């Protein structure tokens, strides 16, 4: 069975999902008359666009795949042997099995990339891939591993359990014409989705770390019970030199300078905010901005001489705020109440 130069278009207006695949070539080989047979499936596409929720996740991406399958037609069981799916420069490997059980599907699948060049991961980002990706110099490795095990049943609202882990080691980003670079990029992320009870799903961003002009930035975050009562624990700590950032990555600004220092942490449940139980919700930290300035074409110059904020669950204290807009100085200090409640409930915070 063969398809050549096919165009596939899918549009789900209610779900806000669109897909367009151009230049699809497909080849399927195998003896379908036998109870047990080996199937070989290969597919490639010249262009793959995918939009969901107004966000273009893939833009003119290349696509290729190859599947070597042992099919037990009588049992409706399919064993995946050496299989891969490649999007741009990123290739995912598959193995495991899929079995049809009446209307249900039983899966036992493993996926992984092994240690792959960091640039392969960046190739999935349309803005990077389309605008100067060839000039972007990268270093380091990353890996994706995971599995999907369990039963899919629409009647019982069951999904397979899914585990995915993403690790980046010693990543680096730089452009040859710019003096600075982002280095020592390390990331460890774990997703554990419970198909029978989504409320048991866990997301752990155990460590995000990078250096910009020698200044470190660190972040970690975890999410529990996302359905019934989201529990979030997060920590942000570091310094970002915006001038160094504009010297490391191309930005469409005439000028960008300033330093942001942050040391902020939160830990609590959404119900604590809803009930204004601020004594139970932990939110502490500071944000300081110094000598910030930005200049854009056809926009008056904007600068922040100094801004300092202190955060608690009940309020955000603006210790000092000195701003310069085209030579007009604004000096303020303020403490708006119920800042977290207003943020999470999309309400107006007075002040």
């Amino acid at each position: 069975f063969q398809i050549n130069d096919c165009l596939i278009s899918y549009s789900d207006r209610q779900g806000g999902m669109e897909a367009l695949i151009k230049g699809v070539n497909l080849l399927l080989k195998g003896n379908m008359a036998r109870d047990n047979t080996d199937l070989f499936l290969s597919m490639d596409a010249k262009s793959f666009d995918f939009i969901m929720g107004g966000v273009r996740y893939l833009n003119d991406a290349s696509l290729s795949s190859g599947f070597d399958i042992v099919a037990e037609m009588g049992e409706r069981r399919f064993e995946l042997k050496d299989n891969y799916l490649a999007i741009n420069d990123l290739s995912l490997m598959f193995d495991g099995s899929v079995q049809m059980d009446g209307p249900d599907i039983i899966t036992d699948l493993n996926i992984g990339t092994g240690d792959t060049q960091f640039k392969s991961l960046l190739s999935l980002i349309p803005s990077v891939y389309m605008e100067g990706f060839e000039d972007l110099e990268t270093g380091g490795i990353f890996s994706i591993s995971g599995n999907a095990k369990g039963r899919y049943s629409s009647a019982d609202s069951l999904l397979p359990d899914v585990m995915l882990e993403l690790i980046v080691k010693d990543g680096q980003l730089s452009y040859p014409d710019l003096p600075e670079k982002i280095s020592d990029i390390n990331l460890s992320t774990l997703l554990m989705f419970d198909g029978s009870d989504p409320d048991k799903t866990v997301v752990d961003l155990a460590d995000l770390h990078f250096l910009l002009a020698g200044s470190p930035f660190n972040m970690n975050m975890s999410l529990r019970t996302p359905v019934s009562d989201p529990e979030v624990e997060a920590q942000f700590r570091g310094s970002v030199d915006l001038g160094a950032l504009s010297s490391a990555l191309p930005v469409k600004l005439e000028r960008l300078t300033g330093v942001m220092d942050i040391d902020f942490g939160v830990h609590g449940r959404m119900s604590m905010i809803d009930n204004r139980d601020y004594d139970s919700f932990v939110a502490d930290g500071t944000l300081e901005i110094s000598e910030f300035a930005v200049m854009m074409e056809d926009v008056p110059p904007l600068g922040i001489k100094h801004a300092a904020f202190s955060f608690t669950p009940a309020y955000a204290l603006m210790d000092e705020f000195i701003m310069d807009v085209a030579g007009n100085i604004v000096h303020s200090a303020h403490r708006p109440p119920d800042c977290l409640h207003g943020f999470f409930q999309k309400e107006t915070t007075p002040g």
Side-chain angles (χ1 to χ4, degrees), residues 212-224:
L212 175 60
S215 298
F217 184 87
N218 296 279
M219 170 187 169
N220 57 71
M221 185 191 75
S222 68
L223 172 66
R224 305 285 193 277

Side-chain angles (χ1 to χ4, degrees), residues 104-329:
D104 296 353
I105 304 173
I106 301 173
T107 64
D108 186 356
L109 296 173
N110 300 303
I111 67 169
T113 60
D115 290 339
T116 305
Q117 293 297 312
F118 188 41
K119 191 173 185 177
S120 299
L121 179 62
L122 297 181
S123 74
L124 293 181
I125 305 174
S127 60
V128 175
Y129 191 75
M130 298 302 296
E131 299 177 14
F133 176 71
E134 299 298 334
D135 296 330
L136 180 64
E137 297 178 353
T138 67
I141 60 174
F142 87 98
S143 64
I144 296 175
S145 61
N147 56 61
K149 297 184 178 182
R151 179 183 295 269
Y152 168 77
S153 173
S154 58
D156 298 325
S157 299
L158 290 177
L159 293 171
D161 296 336
V162 176
M163 187 279 289
L164 284 175
E165 185 176 30
L166 168 64
I167 295 177
V168 176
K169 296 181 180 178
D170 301 323
Q172 178 176 303
L173 299 175
S174 64
Y175 278 81
D177 297 332
L178 296 175
E180 295 290 352
K181 64 182 179 181
I182 302 175
S183 61
D184 197 27
I185 303 171
N186 289 276
L187 170 66
S188 177
T189 304
L190 177 66
L191 165 67
M192 300 183 67
F193 172 76
D194 191 304
S196 59
D197 185 358
D199 200 38
K200 294 180 180 178
T201 296
V202 174
V203 180
D204 271 325
L205 196 162
D207 180 50
L208 168 62
H209 168 84
F210 64 83
L211 289 176
L212 175 60
S215 298
F217 184 87
N218 296 279
M219 170 187 169
N220 57 71
M221 185 191 75
S222 68
L223 172 66
R224 305 285 193 277
T225 58
V227 178
S228 64
D229 188 9
E231 179 184 359
V232 176
E233 183 174 7
Q235 185 73 42
F236 308 86
R237 180 175 293 133
S239 178
V240 178
D241 186 331
L242 298 177
L245 181 63
S246 64
S247 297
L249 299 175
V251 293
K252 297 179 180 179
L253 299 172
E254 296 181 11
R255 182 188 180 194
L256 178 63
T257 60
V259 176
M260 291 194 304
D261 293 294
I262 186 170
D263 187 356
F264 179 67
V266 295
H267 184 199
R269 295 179 176 272
M270 180 66 75
S271 59
M272 299 174 185
I273 299 298
D274 293 341
N275 297 326
R276 290 182 167 84
D277 184 12
Y278 301 134
D279 290 337
S280 299
F281 194 100
V282 177
D284 294 299
T286 59
L287 170 64
E288 189 170 359
I289 303 172
S290 303
E291 303 297 339
F292 171 79
V294 60
M295 292 182 62
M296 296 178 286
E297 187 177 354
D298 300 327
V299 176
L302 171 66
I304 299 176
K305 181 68 175 178
H306 183 253
F309 302 87
S310 301
F311 297 96
T312 75
Y315 63 85
L317 177 62
M318 185 189 298
D319 301 297
E320 185 178 48
F321 187 80
I322 305 173
M323 182 171 66
D324 183 343
V325 181
N328 300 300
I329 306 299

